[in-house]
Amino acid sequence: MTTVTPRAGAATAGPKPFYANFGFQVLAAMVVGLALGWIARNIGPDAAGQPNWLTVTLQTTGSIFVQLLQALVPPLIFTAIVASISNLRQLSNAAALVWQTLLWFALTAFIAVLIGIALGLIIQPGINSGAIAASAKAPGTVGSWLDFLKGLVPANMLGLQASTRIDGGAATTRLGFNVLQLLVISIVVGVAALKVGERANSFLAFNESLLAIVRKILWWVIRLTPIGTIGLLGNAVAQYGWQTLQQLSWYAFAIYLGLAIVLLIVYPALLVLHGLSPLRFFAGAWPAIQLAFVSRSSVGTLPVTEAVTEKSLGVPREYAAFAVPLGATTKMDGCAAIYPAISAIFVAQFYGVPLGLQEYVLIAFVSVIGSAATAGLTGATVMLTLTLSTLGLPLAGVGLLLAIDPILDMGRTAVNVAGQALVPTIVAKRQGMLDQAQYDRAGDIEAIDAGAQTA
């Protein structure tokens, strides 16, 4: 546990009871959420065939918590990226940090996709899976390289985009932020501020103040994580349960085995090679990993990921504020490497389409280069359709897998977020910037909160 030195004149507080520990509170909330979700699922729908009151309560609680986190994402990304670019000028190795970050993003994604391909060939989920539910839905969004390229170009200065959904003859339009476009805008503004010179000092000072305010607000929201966990995990169990895994058990097994290998073998091996303790890494990154698992949102988890990377793992703020938001939109070993690799092989095996060396090379290429396509669109489903269309495989195969996608998405997102904290830690270590003493004390989110008090 991290020891925090009290301020001058402040009374020294004794050790907090175990139930006051944030990590314990979230774990307890996960147990409560599983129990309430099981109860809600067994109650079943009401007399009108609608979700029962408990399911609605869990769903509402979880969605409100995610909305609060996501509301902070746009100002956090913009202010953090702009501030980090302005701070990078103070570092003599800024260029090396940028290219090494991108290199390690690609390298770890390449390792993950190789594992996915190997598991797909060994387990053969498309051949061994049983009958698939006829209620499986076709994908509503299809990814393409053109969509990816268009998603890079901002349509407006706020990165806003509108999406229209037609349900029962009624059209509903929602406004949202295109995270990839917002990232591009933030980088451009940050670089432009540097080029302007002294005339941008007032703007950069305002941006720093706004970033501090956003950080304070997000810590208020993060304290609600136990409540949000109950709603999110309980709703997942109430709506989907684990029965749907029976029809695609070999496929789900291959996905989770691949995720486990990356998370528990590949990542620790990379840490050991760099002289870092895997136990300390997981102790420090655990708050972000467990929040990613229940929220199923890398972007929604971004505030926590950035905080643990800086406050627990010892990555300098000026670098963490750049690398973590970049990773949240482009570094997805679960959604963009393991998942599309195994899923593409599943679809090929299910439809009896033979794959050769060229197709496996294409899978690796799409996973390493095209992972950013998941940022501005609709996550793993878009990445999978992008992979299938590149290989010429039937897109209808996506509909076979959507029935259990929410269950798989929890594990995928947890691995995504772990990788988003891992790469900045490794790069900081390689560049001699990592606060080793802080890293060796990692494991208590209370220390992060103490740091946030002075942010």
Side-chain angles (χ1 to χ4, degrees), residues 350-375:
F350 186 86
Y351 286 100
V353 179
L355 297 178
L357 178 61
Q358 177 180 349
E359 283 73 26
Y360 295 124
V361 172
L362 281 175
I363 291 176
F365 173 80
V366 173
S367 298
V368 175
I369 305 299
S371 60
T374 61

Side-chain angles (χ1 to χ4, degrees), residues 123-133 242-257 342 346 400-401 404 407-408:
I123 297 176
Q124 296 186 321
I127 297 175
N128 294 321
S129 291
I132 301 175
W242 297 100
Q243 296 91 331
T244 50
L245 287 174
Q246 296 175 357
Q247 297 171 321
L248 292 167
S249 57
W250 282 104
Y251 168 72
F253 171 73
I255 294 290
Y256 266 96
L257 178 59
I342 295 178
F346 170 91
L400 304 173
L401 310 177
I404 63 170
I407 295 174
L408 302 179

Side-chain angles (χ1 to χ4, degrees), residues 368-407:
V368 175
I369 305 299
S371 60
T374 61
L377 299 168
T378 316
T381 299
V382 170
M383 188 63 195
L384 177 55
T385 57
L386 177 62
T387 305
L388 295 181
S389 61
T390 302
L391 297 174
L393 294 173
L395 291 177
V398 181
L400 304 173
L401 310 177
L402 290 181
I404 63 170
D405 188 73
I407 295 174

